[in-house]
Short mmCIF file of all heavy atoms in Angstrom, two decimals:
data_model
loop_
_atom_site.label_atom_id
_atom_site.label_comp_id
_atom_site.label_asym_id
_atom_site.label_seq_id
_atom_site.Cartn_x
_atom_site.Cartn_y
_atom_site.Cartn_z
N THR Z 214 119.34 -28.09 218.89
CA THR Z 214 120.63 -27.41 219.00
C THR Z 214 120.40 -25.89 218.84
O THR Z 214 121.05 -25.22 219.59
CB THR Z 214 121.45 -27.81 217.79
OG1 THR Z 214 121.71 -29.34 217.90
CG2 THR Z 214 122.85 -27.21 217.78
N VAL Z 215 119.60 -25.56 217.83
CA VAL Z 215 119.39 -24.10 217.76
C VAL Z 215 118.77 -23.46 218.99
O VAL Z 215 119.17 -22.38 219.50
CB VAL Z 215 118.53 -23.73 216.52
CG1 VAL Z 215 118.02 -22.30 216.48
CG2 VAL Z 215 119.26 -24.16 215.22
N GLU Z 216 117.73 -24.24 219.57
CA GLU Z 216 116.95 -23.80 220.72
C GLU Z 216 117.89 -23.62 221.95
O GLU Z 216 117.88 -22.65 222.65
CB GLU Z 216 115.86 -24.69 221.00
CG GLU Z 216 114.79 -24.66 219.99
CD GLU Z 216 114.98 -25.54 218.75
OE1 GLU Z 216 115.88 -26.43 218.87
OE2 GLU Z 216 114.42 -25.44 217.68
N ALA Z 217 118.75 -24.65 222.17
CA ALA Z 217 119.58 -24.61 223.30
C ALA Z 217 120.66 -23.51 223.15
O ALA Z 217 120.84 -22.84 224.21
CB ALA Z 217 120.35 -25.92 223.46
N ALA Z 218 121.21 -23.34 222.00
CA ALA Z 218 122.14 -22.24 221.76
C ALA Z 218 121.56 -20.90 221.96
O ALA Z 218 122.12 -19.88 222.53
CB ALA Z 218 122.78 -22.37 220.41
N THR Z 219 120.23 -20.66 221.60
CA THR Z 219 119.56 -19.56 221.70
C THR Z 219 119.28 -19.20 223.21
O THR Z 219 119.44 -18.03 223.61
CB THR Z 219 118.22 -19.54 220.88
OG1 THR Z 219 118.50 -19.71 219.47
CG2 THR Z 219 117.46 -18.18 221.07
N ARG Z 220 119.01 -20.18 223.93
CA ARG Z 220 118.76 -20.01 225.39
C ARG Z 220 120.16 -19.56 226.11
O ARG Z 220 120.13 -18.67 226.81
CB ARG Z 220 118.32 -21.24 226.01
CG ARG Z 220 116.86 -21.52 225.91
CD ARG Z 220 116.29 -22.53 226.76
NE ARG Z 220 116.93 -23.90 226.69
CZ ARG Z 220 116.64 -24.89 225.75
NH1 ARG Z 220 115.66 -24.61 224.89
NH2 ARG Z 220 117.31 -25.93 225.83
N ALA Z 221 121.20 -20.17 225.59
CA ALA Z 221 122.52 -19.77 226.16
C ALA Z 221 122.79 -18.36 225.80
O ALA Z 221 123.46 -17.62 226.64
CB ALA Z 221 123.70 -20.77 225.67
N LEU Z 222 122.49 -17.89 224.59
CA LEU Z 222 122.74 -16.72 224.08
C LEU Z 222 121.98 -15.56 224.88
O LEU Z 222 122.31 -14.46 225.01
CB LEU Z 222 122.64 -16.52 222.58
CG LEU Z 222 123.77 -17.18 221.79
CD1 LEU Z 222 123.28 -17.36 220.33
CD2 LEU Z 222 125.04 -16.41 221.89
N GLY Z 223 120.82 -15.96 225.38
CA GLY Z 223 120.01 -15.19 226.14
C GLY Z 223 120.66 -14.82 227.54
O GLY Z 223 120.39 -13.67 228.11
N LEU Z 224 121.58 -15.65 227.98
CA LEU Z 224 122.38 -15.35 229.12
C LEU Z 224 123.68 -14.69 228.78
O LEU Z 224 124.13 -13.84 229.73
CB LEU Z 224 122.72 -16.67 229.91
CG LEU Z 224 121.57 -17.65 230.28
CD1 LEU Z 224 122.03 -18.95 230.75
CD2 LEU Z 224 120.70 -16.87 231.46
N ASN Z 225 124.21 -14.96 227.73
CA ASN Z 225 125.42 -14.25 227.31
C ASN Z 225 125.38 -14.14 225.81
O ASN Z 225 125.70 -15.08 225.01
CB ASN Z 225 126.62 -15.02 227.80
CG ASN Z 225 127.93 -14.37 227.46
OD1 ASN Z 225 128.00 -13.35 226.68
ND2 ASN Z 225 129.07 -14.97 228.00
N PRO Z 226 125.00 -12.91 225.28
CA PRO Z 226 124.77 -12.80 223.85
C PRO Z 226 126.07 -12.80 222.98
O PRO Z 226 126.15 -12.89 221.90
CB PRO Z 226 124.04 -11.45 223.69
CG PRO Z 226 124.32 -10.82 225.03
CD PRO Z 226 124.64 -11.75 226.07
N ASP Z 227 127.41 -12.81 223.68
CA ASP Z 227 128.51 -12.78 222.96
C ASP Z 227 129.40 -14.02 223.08
O ASP Z 227 130.53 -14.09 223.04
CB ASP Z 227 129.40 -11.58 223.37
CG ASP Z 227 128.75 -10.13 223.01
OD1 ASP Z 227 128.11 -10.16 221.95
OD2 ASP Z 227 128.78 -9.33 223.79
N LEU Z 228 128.64 -15.09 223.47
CA LEU Z 228 129.37 -16.38 223.69
C LEU Z 228 129.61 -17.07 222.44
O LEU Z 228 128.71 -17.58 221.78
CB LEU Z 228 128.42 -17.29 224.65
CG LEU Z 228 129.05 -18.52 225.18
CD1 LEU Z 228 130.08 -18.26 226.14
CD2 LEU Z 228 127.90 -19.37 225.92
N PRO Z 229 130.95 -17.00 221.97
CA PRO Z 229 131.26 -17.56 220.74
C PRO Z 229 130.86 -19.08 220.53
O PRO Z 229 130.39 -19.41 219.32
CB PRO Z 229 132.81 -17.53 220.64
CG PRO Z 229 133.22 -16.50 221.63
CD PRO Z 229 132.14 -16.55 222.71
N ALA Z 230 131.01 -19.91 221.47
CA ALA Z 230 130.55 -21.27 221.35
C ALA Z 230 129.13 -21.54 221.06
O ALA Z 230 128.77 -22.39 220.20
CB ALA Z 230 130.98 -22.14 222.72
N ALA Z 231 128.29 -20.66 221.72
CA ALA Z 231 126.86 -20.80 221.45
C ALA Z 231 126.57 -20.25 220.11
O ALA Z 231 125.60 -20.77 219.42
CB ALA Z 231 126.09 -19.99 222.62
N LEU Z 232 127.20 -19.19 219.72
CA LEU Z 232 126.96 -18.69 218.35
C LEU Z 232 127.27 -19.53 217.29
O LEU Z 232 126.61 -19.92 216.36
CB LEU Z 232 127.76 -17.32 218.11
CG LEU Z 232 127.11 -16.13 218.92
CD1 LEU Z 232 128.22 -15.02 219.00
CD2 LEU Z 232 125.93 -15.62 218.21
N SER Z 233 128.48 -20.24 217.48
CA SER Z 233 128.94 -21.31 216.53
C SER Z 233 127.93 -22.47 216.52
O SER Z 233 127.69 -22.99 215.43
CB SER Z 233 130.29 -21.76 216.90
OG SER Z 233 130.81 -22.67 215.95
N LEU Z 234 127.50 -22.93 217.67
CA LEU Z 234 126.57 -24.04 217.74
C LEU Z 234 125.31 -23.83 216.97
O LEU Z 234 124.85 -24.59 216.26
CB LEU Z 234 126.33 -24.49 219.20
CG LEU Z 234 125.34 -25.65 219.61
CD1 LEU Z 234 126.01 -26.94 218.89
CD2 LEU Z 234 125.17 -25.69 220.99
N ARG Z 235 124.78 -22.57 217.30
CA ARG Z 235 123.46 -22.28 216.62
C ARG Z 235 123.68 -22.12 215.19
O ARG Z 235 122.86 -22.53 214.33
CB ARG Z 235 123.00 -20.92 217.24
CG ARG Z 235 121.58 -20.55 216.75
CD ARG Z 235 121.01 -19.48 217.47
NE ARG Z 235 121.67 -18.26 217.15
CZ ARG Z 235 121.16 -16.98 217.55
NH1 ARG Z 235 120.15 -16.93 218.44
NH2 ARG Z 235 121.76 -15.86 217.20
N GLY Z 236 124.80 -21.56 214.84
CA GLY Z 236 125.08 -21.48 213.24
C GLY Z 236 125.23 -22.82 212.77
O GLY Z 236 124.72 -23.02 211.52
N SER Z 237 125.77 -23.85 213.38
CA SER Z 237 125.87 -25.14 212.83
C SER Z 237 124.48 -25.77 212.72
O SER Z 237 124.22 -26.53 211.81
CB SER Z 237 126.82 -26.07 213.74
OG SER Z 237 128.07 -25.54 213.65
N GLY Z 238 123.61 -25.41 213.70
CA GLY Z 238 122.22 -25.93 213.70
C GLY Z 238 121.46 -25.39 212.47
O GLY Z 238 120.76 -26.01 211.78
N HIS Z 239 121.77 -24.15 212.27
CA HIS Z 239 120.97 -23.34 211.12
C HIS Z 239 121.52 -24.05 209.84
O HIS Z 239 120.81 -24.33 208.88
CB HIS Z 239 121.31 -21.98 211.10
CG HIS Z 239 120.49 -21.19 212.04
ND1 HIS Z 239 119.14 -21.31 212.17
CD2 HIS Z 239 120.94 -20.28 212.93
CE1 HIS Z 239 118.76 -20.43 213.20
NE2 HIS Z 239 119.87 -19.87 213.62
N TYR Z 240 122.86 -24.31 209.69
CA TYR Z 240 123.43 -24.97 208.56
C TYR Z 240 122.78 -26.37 208.24
O TYR Z 240 122.38 -26.64 207.22
CB TYR Z 240 124.91 -25.13 208.71
CG TYR Z 240 125.68 -25.68 207.60
CD1 TYR Z 240 126.03 -25.01 206.42
CD2 TYR Z 240 125.91 -27.07 207.57
CE1 TYR Z 240 126.61 -25.57 205.40
CE2 TYR Z 240 126.55 -27.66 206.47
CZ TYR Z 240 126.89 -26.92 205.40
OH TYR Z 240 127.53 -27.58 204.29
N LEU Z 241 122.72 -27.15 209.32
CA LEU Z 241 122.01 -28.38 209.21
C LEU Z 241 120.72 -28.36 208.73
O LEU Z 241 120.15 -29.26 208.11
CB LEU Z 241 122.32 -29.25 210.54
CG LEU Z 241 123.67 -29.68 210.91
CD1 LEU Z 241 123.68 -30.29 212.20
CD2 LEU Z 241 124.30 -30.59 209.75
N ALA Z 242 119.93 -27.36 209.19
CA ALA Z 242 118.59 -27.16 208.75
C ALA Z 242 118.40 -26.55 207.47
O ALA Z 242 117.30 -26.36 206.91
CB ALA Z 242 117.87 -26.39 209.86
N GLY Z 243 119.53 -26.11 206.77
CA GLY Z 243 119.45 -25.53 205.49
C GLY Z 243 119.24 -24.04 205.48
O GLY Z 243 119.00 -23.47 204.40
N ASP Z 244 119.37 -23.38 206.59
CA ASP Z 244 119.15 -21.94 206.62
C ASP Z 244 120.53 -21.34 206.65
O ASP Z 244 121.24 -21.11 207.61
CB ASP Z 244 118.41 -21.51 207.95
CG ASP Z 244 118.12 -19.99 207.98
OD1 ASP Z 244 118.54 -19.36 207.06
OD2 ASP Z 244 117.36 -19.72 208.82
N PHE Z 245 121.08 -21.29 205.38
CA PHE Z 245 122.55 -20.87 205.24
C PHE Z 245 122.81 -19.36 205.59
O PHE Z 245 123.78 -19.08 206.11
CB PHE Z 245 122.96 -21.15 203.86
CG PHE Z 245 122.88 -22.62 203.57
CD1 PHE Z 245 121.85 -23.12 202.64
CD2 PHE Z 245 123.67 -23.56 204.14
CE1 PHE Z 245 121.75 -24.46 202.42
CE2 PHE Z 245 123.69 -24.92 203.79
CZ PHE Z 245 122.68 -25.40 203.01
N ALA Z 246 121.84 -18.48 205.40
CA ALA Z 246 121.97 -17.17 205.69
C ALA Z 246 122.08 -16.95 207.23
O ALA Z 246 122.91 -16.25 207.79
CB ALA Z 246 120.80 -16.29 205.11
N ALA Z 247 121.19 -17.59 208.06
CA ALA Z 247 121.28 -17.49 209.37
C ALA Z 247 122.53 -18.15 209.92
O ALA Z 247 123.16 -17.75 210.92
CB ALA Z 247 120.13 -18.24 209.98
N ALA Z 248 123.00 -19.26 209.30
CA ALA Z 248 124.16 -20.05 209.71
C ALA Z 248 125.40 -19.02 209.55
O ALA Z 248 126.25 -18.84 210.43
CB ALA Z 248 124.40 -21.21 208.94
N LEU Z 249 125.41 -18.33 208.38
CA LEU Z 249 126.58 -17.51 208.25
C LEU Z 249 126.58 -16.23 209.10
O LEU Z 249 127.67 -15.95 209.65
CB LEU Z 249 126.57 -16.94 206.70
CG LEU Z 249 127.66 -16.11 206.25
CD1 LEU Z 249 129.05 -16.91 206.51
CD2 LEU Z 249 127.58 -15.69 204.80
N ALA Z 250 125.36 -15.74 209.36
CA ALA Z 250 125.26 -14.64 210.37
C ALA Z 250 125.85 -15.02 211.76
O ALA Z 250 126.50 -14.28 212.32
CB ALA Z 250 123.92 -14.08 210.43
N ASP Z 251 125.31 -16.20 212.20
CA ASP Z 251 125.87 -16.71 213.62
C ASP Z 251 127.38 -16.91 213.53
O ASP Z 251 127.98 -16.62 214.46
CB ASP Z 251 125.03 -17.85 213.90
CG ASP Z 251 123.71 -17.50 214.55
OD1 ASP Z 251 123.50 -16.22 214.93
OD2 ASP Z 251 122.87 -18.49 214.77
N HIS Z 252 127.86 -17.62 212.50
CA HIS Z 252 129.34 -17.92 212.41
C HIS Z 252 130.00 -16.61 212.36
O HIS Z 252 131.14 -16.54 212.91
CB HIS Z 252 129.55 -18.88 211.34
CG HIS Z 252 129.19 -20.31 211.62
ND1 HIS Z 252 129.70 -20.98 212.82
CD2 HIS Z 252 128.39 -21.16 211.01
CE1 HIS Z 252 129.22 -22.28 212.80
NE2 HIS Z 252 128.35 -22.32 211.83
N ARG Z 253 129.63 -15.62 211.58
CA ARG Z 253 130.30 -14.37 211.67
C ARG Z 253 130.26 -13.64 212.93
O ARG Z 253 131.27 -13.02 213.34
CB ARG Z 253 129.66 -13.47 210.56
CG ARG Z 253 130.19 -13.83 209.01
CD ARG Z 253 129.75 -12.90 208.07
NE ARG Z 253 130.44 -13.01 206.79
CZ ARG Z 253 130.01 -12.76 205.69
NH1 ARG Z 253 128.82 -12.19 205.53
NH2 ARG Z 253 130.74 -12.97 204.53
N ALA Z 254 129.14 -13.76 213.66
CA ALA Z 254 129.08 -13.12 214.92
C ALA Z 254 130.03 -13.84 215.97
O ALA Z 254 130.71 -13.24 216.76
CB ALA Z 254 127.64 -13.27 215.51
N ALA Z 255 130.16 -15.18 215.80
CA ALA Z 255 131.01 -15.86 216.71
C ALA Z 255 132.55 -15.45 216.28
O ALA Z 255 133.31 -15.37 217.19
CB ALA Z 255 130.92 -17.44 216.48
N LEU Z 256 132.76 -15.22 215.07
CA LEU Z 256 134.15 -14.74 214.72
C LEU Z 256 134.32 -13.43 215.17
O LEU Z 256 135.49 -13.03 215.51
CB LEU Z 256 134.31 -14.91 213.11
CG LEU Z 256 135.63 -14.79 212.66
CD1 LEU Z 256 136.62 -15.77 213.21
CD2 LEU Z 256 135.62 -14.90 211.15
N ASP Z 257 133.31 -12.43 215.20
CA ASP Z 257 133.50 -11.22 215.81
C ASP Z 257 133.81 -11.26 217.21
O ASP Z 257 134.61 -10.39 217.70
CB ASP Z 257 132.25 -10.37 215.49
CG ASP Z 257 132.01 -9.92 214.07
OD1 ASP Z 257 132.98 -9.93 213.35
OD2 ASP Z 257 130.96 -9.59 213.82
N ALA Z 258 133.24 -12.25 217.96
CA ALA Z 258 133.42 -12.35 219.37
C ALA Z 258 134.81 -13.00 219.62
O ALA Z 258 135.41 -12.77 220.82
CB ALA Z 258 132.37 -13.16 219.91
N ALA Z 259 135.42 -13.84 218.76
CA ALA Z 259 136.56 -14.49 218.93
C ALA Z 259 137.41 -14.37 217.60
O ALA Z 259 137.45 -15.45 216.96
CB ALA Z 259 136.40 -15.86 219.39
N PRO Z 260 137.91 -13.31 217.17
CA PRO Z 260 138.48 -13.24 215.83
C PRO Z 260 139.70 -14.12 215.54
O PRO Z 260 140.06 -14.28 214.44
CB PRO Z 260 138.86 -11.73 215.82
CG PRO Z 260 138.95 -11.26 217.18
CD PRO Z 260 138.06 -12.19 217.93
N ASP Z 261 140.37 -14.59 216.53
CA ASP Z 261 141.43 -15.44 216.37
C ASP Z 261 141.14 -16.92 216.40
O ASP Z 261 142.07 -17.86 216.32
CB ASP Z 261 142.55 -15.20 217.29
CG ASP Z 261 143.20 -13.75 217.10
OD1 ASP Z 261 143.29 -13.32 216.00
OD2 ASP Z 261 143.57 -13.17 218.27
N SER Z 262 139.87 -17.24 216.35
CA SER Z 262 139.44 -18.66 216.47
C SER Z 262 139.66 -19.42 215.15
O SER Z 262 139.04 -19.04 214.21
CB SER Z 262 137.97 -18.61 216.88
OG SER Z 262 137.52 -19.98 216.67
N PRO Z 263 140.57 -20.37 215.05
CA PRO Z 263 140.68 -21.26 213.89
C PRO Z 263 139.33 -21.84 213.45
O PRO Z 263 139.07 -21.91 212.29
CB PRO Z 263 141.76 -22.28 214.29
CG PRO Z 263 142.48 -21.57 215.35
CD PRO Z 263 141.52 -20.79 216.17
N ALA Z 264 138.55 -22.30 214.46
CA ALA Z 264 137.31 -23.01 214.10
C ALA Z 264 136.30 -21.98 213.52
O ALA Z 264 135.60 -22.19 212.64
CB ALA Z 264 136.68 -23.55 215.32
N GLY Z 265 136.30 -20.74 214.08
CA GLY Z 265 135.52 -19.59 213.57
C GLY Z 265 135.81 -19.33 212.19
O GLY Z 265 134.90 -19.10 211.34
N LEU Z 266 137.09 -19.13 211.89
CA LEU Z 266 137.53 -18.93 210.46
C LEU Z 266 137.07 -20.01 209.53
O LEU Z 266 136.71 -19.73 208.48
CB LEU Z 266 139.04 -18.70 210.41
CG LEU Z 266 139.53 -17.42 211.27
CD1 LEU Z 266 141.09 -17.44 211.50
CD2 LEU Z 266 139.17 -16.17 210.49
N ASN Z 267 137.41 -21.23 210.04
CA ASN Z 267 136.94 -22.34 209.16
C ASN Z 267 135.50 -22.37 208.79
O ASN Z 267 135.12 -22.68 207.72
CB ASN Z 267 137.40 -23.66 209.82
CG ASN Z 267 137.16 -24.85 208.99
OD1 ASN Z 267 137.70 -24.92 207.93
ND2 ASN Z 267 136.33 -25.76 209.44
N HIS Z 268 134.66 -22.16 209.93
CA HIS Z 268 133.19 -22.22 209.62
C HIS Z 268 132.78 -21.15 208.59
O HIS Z 268 132.05 -21.44 207.68
CB HIS Z 268 132.40 -21.93 210.85
CG HIS Z 268 132.46 -23.05 211.99
ND1 HIS Z 268 132.12 -24.37 211.52
CD2 HIS Z 268 132.85 -23.10 213.22
CE1 HIS Z 268 132.24 -25.21 212.71
NE2 HIS Z 268 132.70 -24.48 213.76
N VAL Z 269 133.23 -19.95 208.75
CA VAL Z 269 132.89 -18.88 207.74
C VAL Z 269 133.32 -19.20 206.33
O VAL Z 269 132.70 -19.24 205.35
CB VAL Z 269 133.42 -17.51 208.27
CG1 VAL Z 269 133.21 -16.52 207.14
CG2 VAL Z 269 132.66 -17.15 209.56
N ALA Z 270 134.62 -19.66 206.27
CA ALA Z 270 135.13 -20.04 205.03
C ALA Z 270 134.37 -21.15 204.39
O ALA Z 270 134.10 -21.19 203.14
CB ALA Z 270 136.72 -20.46 205.15
N TRP Z 271 134.09 -22.20 205.18
CA TRP Z 271 133.36 -23.31 204.58
C TRP Z 271 131.92 -22.90 204.09
O TRP Z 271 131.60 -23.32 203.06
CB TRP Z 271 133.14 -24.36 205.74
CG TRP Z 271 132.36 -25.68 205.22
CD1 TRP Z 271 131.10 -25.85 205.38
CD2 TRP Z 271 132.92 -26.72 204.45
NE1 TRP Z 271 130.82 -27.10 204.86
CE2 TRP Z 271 131.96 -27.59 204.24
CE3 TRP Z 271 134.15 -26.97 203.87
CZ2 TRP Z 271 132.03 -28.67 203.40
CZ3 TRP Z 271 134.30 -28.18 203.06
CH2 TRP Z 271 133.19 -29.01 202.91
N LEU Z 272 131.35 -22.12 204.83
CA LEU Z 272 129.92 -21.65 204.43
C LEU Z 272 130.06 -20.86 203.15
O LEU Z 272 129.34 -20.99 202.14
CB LEU Z 272 129.26 -20.81 205.41
CG LEU Z 272 128.43 -21.61 206.48
CD1 LEU Z 272 128.21 -20.77 207.68
CD2 LEU Z 272 127.15 -22.07 205.74
N LEU Z 273 131.08 -19.97 202.93
CA LEU Z 273 131.22 -18.99 201.83
C LEU Z 273 131.58 -20.05 200.58
O LEU Z 273 131.27 -19.69 199.47
CB LEU Z 273 132.25 -18.02 202.04
CG LEU Z 273 131.87 -16.98 203.13
CD1 LEU Z 273 133.10 -16.06 203.37
CD2 LEU Z 273 130.64 -16.11 202.58
N ALA Z 274 132.33 -21.06 200.82
CA ALA Z 274 132.79 -21.90 199.68
C ALA Z 274 131.67 -22.91 199.22
O ALA Z 274 131.65 -23.30 198.08
CB ALA Z 274 133.99 -22.61 200.16
N THR Z 275 130.88 -23.26 200.22
CA THR Z 275 129.94 -24.45 199.86
C THR Z 275 128.45 -24.13 199.87
O THR Z 275 127.64 -24.89 199.44
CB THR Z 275 130.08 -25.58 200.86
OG1 THR Z 275 129.71 -25.13 202.17
CG2 THR Z 275 131.52 -26.03 200.87
N ALA Z 276 128.08 -22.92 200.31
CA ALA Z 276 126.57 -22.55 200.37
C ALA Z 276 125.99 -22.53 198.94
O ALA Z 276 126.64 -22.05 197.96
CB ALA Z 276 126.35 -21.26 201.05
N PRO Z 277 124.82 -23.06 198.78
CA PRO Z 277 124.20 -23.01 197.43
C PRO Z 277 123.74 -21.51 197.18
O PRO Z 277 123.30 -20.86 198.12
CB PRO Z 277 122.94 -23.92 197.63
CG PRO Z 277 122.69 -24.12 199.09
CD PRO Z 277 124.03 -23.80 199.74
N GLY Z 278 123.90 -21.14 195.92
CA GLY Z 278 123.45 -19.82 195.60
C GLY Z 278 124.54 -18.78 195.82
O GLY Z 278 125.40 -18.86 196.77
N ASP Z 279 124.61 -17.89 195.05
CA ASP Z 279 125.63 -16.68 195.07
C ASP Z 279 125.23 -15.64 196.03
O ASP Z 279 126.09 -14.84 196.33
CB ASP Z 279 125.88 -16.16 193.69
CG ASP Z 279 126.50 -17.21 192.85
OD1 ASP Z 279 127.20 -18.05 193.29
OD2 ASP Z 279 126.30 -17.18 191.57
N ASP Z 280 124.09 -15.58 196.64
CA ASP Z 280 123.61 -14.51 197.43
C ASP Z 280 124.41 -14.44 198.77
O ASP Z 280 124.50 -13.37 199.45
CB ASP Z 280 122.21 -14.53 197.73
CG ASP Z 280 121.70 -15.87 198.34
OD1 ASP Z 280 122.22 -16.98 198.01
OD2 ASP Z 280 120.81 -15.84 199.19
N LEU Z 281 125.08 -15.53 199.23
CA LEU Z 281 125.86 -15.39 200.44
C LEU Z 281 127.24 -15.12 200.34
O LEU Z 281 128.02 -14.84 201.16
CB LEU Z 281 125.67 -16.84 201.14
CG LEU Z 281 124.33 -17.22 201.60
CD1 LEU Z 281 124.34 -18.66 202.23
CD2 LEU Z 281 123.70 -16.11 202.47
N ARG Z 282 127.65 -15.17 198.97
CA ARG Z 282 129.08 -14.81 198.75
C ARG Z 282 129.26 -13.44 198.42
O ARG Z 282 128.67 -12.67 197.83
CB ARG Z 282 129.63 -15.62 197.61
CG ARG Z 282 129.50 -17.14 197.98
CD ARG Z 282 130.07 -17.96 196.89
NE ARG Z 282 129.75 -19.36 197.37
CZ ARG Z 282 128.84 -20.11 196.62
NH1 ARG Z 282 128.34 -19.62 195.50
NH2 ARG Z 282 128.57 -21.22 196.97
#
C-alpha cells in the first residue's frame, strides 16, 4: 500500500487519495508520525474532505504517545 501510493505520488505529488492511502498504510505499520504527516498533506490538498478531516482527527485522538498531539 505504501509503495503503490508512493509511486502514484511520484506522478502527482498533490493527489489526496494517494496521500490518504499512504497515510493509512503508515498507520497500519505503526508509523503514526508518517501517517499523520500524509493525512495532513491530503487534507491540505483537499481541505473540505470529510474523510481527510476524519483521518486527522482519528490519529490525533488515538495515536499512542503525546508527541503527535
Side-chain angles (χ1 to χ4, degrees):
T214 302
V215 172
E216 294 82 14
T219 299
R220 283 194 303 274
L222 290 166
L224 300 172
N225 183 350
D227 296 320
L228 190 62
L232 288 161
S233 182
L234 180 65
R235 188 171 70 177
S237 294
H239 286 307
Y240 179 85
L241 292 173
D244 189 348
F245 300 107
L249 185 57
D251 277 344
H252 283 302
R253 281 187 167 155
L256 193 55
D257 287 343
D261 295 328
S262 167
L266 291 165
N267 184 62
H268 288 306
V269 170
W271 180 260
L272 272 163
L273 292 174
T275 64
D279 293 331
D280 57 323
L281 296 180
R282 295 185 195 110

